[in-house]
Amino acid sequence: MYLGVNVDHIATVRQARGTRYPDPVDAANLAAEAGAHGITVHLREDRRHIQDHDVWSMRKHQPLPLNLEMGNSAEIVEIALKVQPDEVCLVPEKRAELTTEGGLDVVGNHEALEQSCRRFRDAGIAVSLFVDPDPRQIEASIALGVPMIELHTGTFCECEGEARIACVNELIAAAKQAHAHGIQVNAGHGLNLENLAGLFAVPHLHTLNIGHSIVARATLVGMKAAVLEMLAAMKPYALSD
Ligand code: PXP
């Protein structure tokens, strides 16, 4: 199983103050040093976190395969074709949402998706579709001929008990359905250290894309080191009486 690290929320911290730091590319390089297998960034239409220049620097200044998560809009498709990430993951995108709220409606958007998938395929960029574990959406993804899908794990992460078991069963069926057609099965959204193991019952998982929980954890794991650095920087100040 491979780990793709989504560094969007490093940019969220930067955008909150309009500073130049923290740089998501630095976070990507640290993730690479730690053994991550890929980096994901989501260039949203409203540019709330990742900016266009981040995507270009990510392409040039970090070593891991780049997965560009994006809505299927003309503007972002053109950018993706210029930047040439290793893969794109098409997601639904609504301006008011806090984060991606569910899978793509592949059934209802067949034509628009087919057009973009063809353009990416011709450009040598692998396409993934972010879908709910719904057999109709998997079937529509198979019909589009994409090499991979990413199963939306958000609902699985939010529910407990019987509902959690039902979610796992849906994910199992979806993974089997896609795998039987030679499609690589990735998964992501809402995964963290507590809910991760619950996903292990799902077969054929290739890459997990995880962002928020890793960035959230990094702020705590790194807090002591950051405070020690600041205290050391303050030390040269001569105390006057
Ligand atoms: N995969 C997709 C398609 C997503 O939209 C997101 C959120 O940007 C993730 C994975 C990562 O989700 P999280 O930040 O909750 O780990």
Side-chain angles (χ1 to χ4, degrees):
M1 197 185 249
Y2 296 91
L3 172 63
V5 178
N6 179 319
V7 293
D8 290 349
H9 296 303
I10 299 292
T12 300
V13 174
R14 179 191 62 196
Q15 297 307 111
R17 292 292 289 269
T19 47
R20 295 169 75 96
Y21 63 85
D23 185 340
V25 175
D26 291 339
N29 279 303
L30 290 167
E33 276 176 36
H37 304 97
I39 293 297
T40 298
V41 290
H42 184 174
L43 185 65
R44 296 186 71 103
E45 278 186 83
D46 63 9
R47 307 301 199 271
R48 69 173 70 158
H49 38 53
I50 292 293
Q51 307 296 303
D52 298 47
H53 65 81
D54 291 319
V55 184
W56 285 103
S57 325
M58 211 51 89
R59 182 74 287 196
K60 289 191 193 130
H61 302 302
Q62 64 82 36
L64 295 176
L66 179 62
N67 170 29
L68 179 63
E69 201 184 302
M70 51 181 279
N72 188 26
S73 79
E75 185 214 359
I76 307 288
V77 168
E78 292 309 322
I79 293 171
L81 287 167
K82 286 191 190 117
V83 174
Q84 294 263 317
D86 298 275
E87 46 189 86
V88 295
C89 179
L90 298 175
V91 301
E93 195 177 299
K94 295 188 212 120
R95 280 197 178 238
E97 69 191 356
L98 277 180
T99 179
T100 314
E101 280 170 354
L104 271 175
D105 180 9
V106 186
V107 178
N109 292 287
H110 182 89
E111 259 173 53
L113 289 169
E114 187 175 46
Q115 206 179 16
S116 299
C117 287
R118 190 172 343 103
R119 293 187 73 195
F120 286 126
R121 194 166 41 237
D122 292 349
I125 300 168
V127 183
S128 178
L129 302 177
F130 185 55
V131 286
D132 288 321
D134 169 341
R136 290 167 312 131
Q137 299 296 344
I138 309 291
E139 197 181 310
S141 306
I142 293 164
L144 277 176
V146 290
M148 12 179 204
I149 57 165
E150 179 171 330
L151 293 174
H152 176 228
T153 51
T155 315
F156 154 82
C157 293
E158 277 161 21
C159 60
E160 289 172 358
E162 290 293 316
R164 167 70 66 90
I165 293 167
C167 279
V168 172
N169 286 334
E170 282 174 6
L171 287 164
I172 291 172
K176 285 184 177 168
Q177 186 184 355
H179 179 79
H181 286 83
I183 294 180
Q184 178 178 311
V185 182
N186 302 330
H189 210 279
L191 296 172
N192 60 34
L193 290 173
E194 269 144 44
N195 59 32
L196 179 72
L199 209 60
F200 292 174
V202 180
H204 313 305
L205 292 179
H206 184 278
T207 297
L208 299 184
N209 290 315
I210 307 181
H212 185 265
S213 71
I214 292 179
V215 173
R217 183 86 187 123
T219 62
L220 296 187
V221 173
M223 181 58 81
K224 208 165 156 183
V227 170
L228 284 168
E229 261 179 16
M230 189 56 76
L231 288 170
M234 288 162 66
K235 231 175 183 154
Y237 183 73
L239 281 178
S240 55
D241 48 7

